[in-house]
Amino acid sequence: MKRGDQQSKKDCWQNSTNKKFVMERKRIAIVGVGLIGGSMALQLNEKGLAAGIVGVESHPEHAARALEMGLVDEILPLDEAIAWAEVVILAIPVDKMVDMLAAVLDQVDQQIVFDAGSTKSELIRIADAHPKRGRFVASHPMWGTEYSGPQAAVKHAFENKAVVICNAADSDSDAIEWVKQLYRKIGMHLLEMDAVSHDLHAAYVSHISHITSFALANTVLEKEREDQAIFEMASAGFESTVRLAKSNSAMWVPIFMQNRDNVLDVLNEHITQLRKFKSCLEKENYEYLHELIENANKIRRILG
């Protein structure tokens, strides 16, 4: 389906205030057709929420693959995609997002712009300084895998997951409502908080998990020189713990940079906890070791 063939349609349902909200299918440009952008395209296509999707992709192989998979109808330069689109989704590494946001908003008239980045404070600082701040919605769909590129896109990826909307009051009402309804339509439940709180909580529930996985993988690679032994003896527990170590550094280094203070805070606490376990073993204090593990078991109340 080519861009000129697409007609906007309307889809109606009830919003959170029980007033009928009319959600128009819109022309959507996805900047970065990788894991997140590609998975979003799959959901948008399946749910019939788009009147056409174009991609903006700097990686030629990713662009070709996205077209081959039918994730997008066309690949366009950024300025052409923005001019054509009614909605622009930013799904690129957070450092590139910060560099790009002001230039994107410069070209926006009534388009809605929203992001899917893992950090928010720096991005919102850029947006707040722009006269078209209202057209931007800061969001973080809480889903991802260790893989990257359009070939990593997953059907139904966002269903039954949380999405965080940050500083919603600073976005125009039509923009925030459309984005919220999009996320609801693809099966996500919404949380709202300010950007500072988001970055703090993300450090504790997401960013530290990746650092721990990277560090554990490096520990094993340093101490265990026999690749075959790792492969043959690795249990499911080990595999699940180091799964995140396969994540792309181009994505995660910028996240750690932008959320540096919060990540250092949680990392210091994590190191403190590791030292407690180390001390128990050094001093053969197995009673306290039991206490540490039993205290950790309390996480079942939250995670089941």
Side-chain angles (χ1 to χ4, degrees):
M1 181 170 60
K2 295 297 182 182
R3 289 177 285 152
D5 300 333
Q6 293 141 357
Q7 298 291 325
S8 291
K9 297 181 180 179
K10 294 183 178 180
D11 195 5
C12 304
W13 61 86
Q14 301 298 108
N15 69 10
S16 58
T17 60
N18 291 321
K19 295 178 181 178
K20 184 172 286 189
F21 174 76
V22 179
M23 183 176 184
E24 295 181 354
R25 295 177 60 187
K26 293 183 182 292
R27 300 185 300 273
I28 298 175
I30 300 178
V31 182
V33 194
L35 170 67
I36 301 299
S39 298
M40 186 74 71
L42 286 172
Q43 289 287 87
L44 294 172
N45 281 320
E46 181 178 287
K47 299 294 185 180
L49 300 177
I53 303 176
V54 300
V56 178
E57 180 54 65
S58 61
H59 195 302
E61 291 182 8
H62 287 180
R65 184 69 172 135
L67 286 170
E68 179 186 328
M69 293 174 65
L71 298 176
V72 296
D73 304 317
E74 294 183 64
I75 297 291
L76 294 177
L78 179 63
D79 57 347
E80 291 184 30
I82 294 171
W84 171 81
E86 296 169 287
V87 174
V88 179
I89 304 174
L90 303 180
I92 52 180
V94 291
D95 57 335
K96 303 295 192 297
M97 208 178 290
V98 165
D99 291 342
M100 181 183 291
L101 181 59
V104 169
L105 290 176
D106 285 343
Q107 300 178 61
V108 162
D109 181 18
Q110 291 302 310
Q111 295 98 320
I112 297 167
V113 180
F114 73 94
D115 80 297
S118 297
T119 59
K120 285 289 162 281
S121 295
E122 182 65 12
L123 196 65
I124 285 181
R125 184 187 68 80
I126 299 295
D128 284 346
H130 200 281
K132 296 176 184 174
R133 167 65 180 91
R135 304 316 298 161
F136 175 66
V137 178
S139 73
H140 180 195
M142 301 294 292
W143 175 83
T145 75
E146 65 273 30
Y147 301 109
S148 60
Q151 66 278 0
V154 176
K155 290 183 178 180
H156 314 298
F158 305 102
E159 292 183 4
N160 301 313
K161 303 297 190 301
V163 57
V164 183
I165 307 289
C166 291
N167 297 47
D170 296 325
S171 300
D172 291 345
S173 58
D174 67 305
I176 195 72
E177 191 62 37
W178 194 90
V179 172
K180 284 182 177 181
Q181 295 291 9
L182 177 144
Y183 278 124
R184 290 189 181 109
K185 196 70 171 176
I186 64 174
M188 304 198 82
H189 59 274
L190 274 62
L191 304 172
E192 291 190 31
M193 64 183 68
D194 63 271
V196 173
S197 296
H198 167 274
D199 288 357
L200 174 63
H201 297 313
Y204 276 85
V205 301
S206 173
H207 303 168
I208 188 60
S209 301
H210 285 79
I211 286 184
T212 301
S213 189
F214 293 136
L216 179 57
N218 283 338
T219 299
V220 173
L221 292 170
E222 181 65 28
K223 292 296 185 180
E224 178 56 81
R225 300 298 184 178
E226 296 293 333
D227 290 355
Q228 193 63 26
I230 298 175
F231 176 77
E232 291 177 349
M233 295 181 65
S235 66
F238 175 80
E239 186 175 355
S240 64
T241 304
V242 299
R243 174 182 64 83
L244 297 177
K246 294 181 280 185
S247 300
N248 192 336
S249 63
M251 173 182 175
W252 280 97
V253 170
I255 290 172
F256 296 149
M257 289 171 60
Q258 288 193 18
N259 207 19
R260 176 179 176 272
D261 289 346
N262 287 322
V263 170
L264 282 173
D265 179 60
V266 65
L267 192 54
N268 285 331
E269 178 58 34
H270 187 50
I271 291 169
T272 297
Q273 294 297 327
L274 290 174
R275 284 176 174 153
K276 290 179 181 180
F277 280 87
K278 180 173 181 283
S279 177
C280 285
L281 293 171
E282 287 174 339
K283 298 176 182 179
E284 300 185 7
N285 187 351
Y286 301 124
E287 182 177 347
Y288 187 38
L289 187 58
H290 273 287
E291 290 181 20
L292 290 173
I293 294 173
E294 288 169 357
N295 186 68
N297 291 162
K298 294 175 183 177
I299 200 72
R300 292 173 183 161
R301 296 199 313 265
I302 302 170
L303 301 180

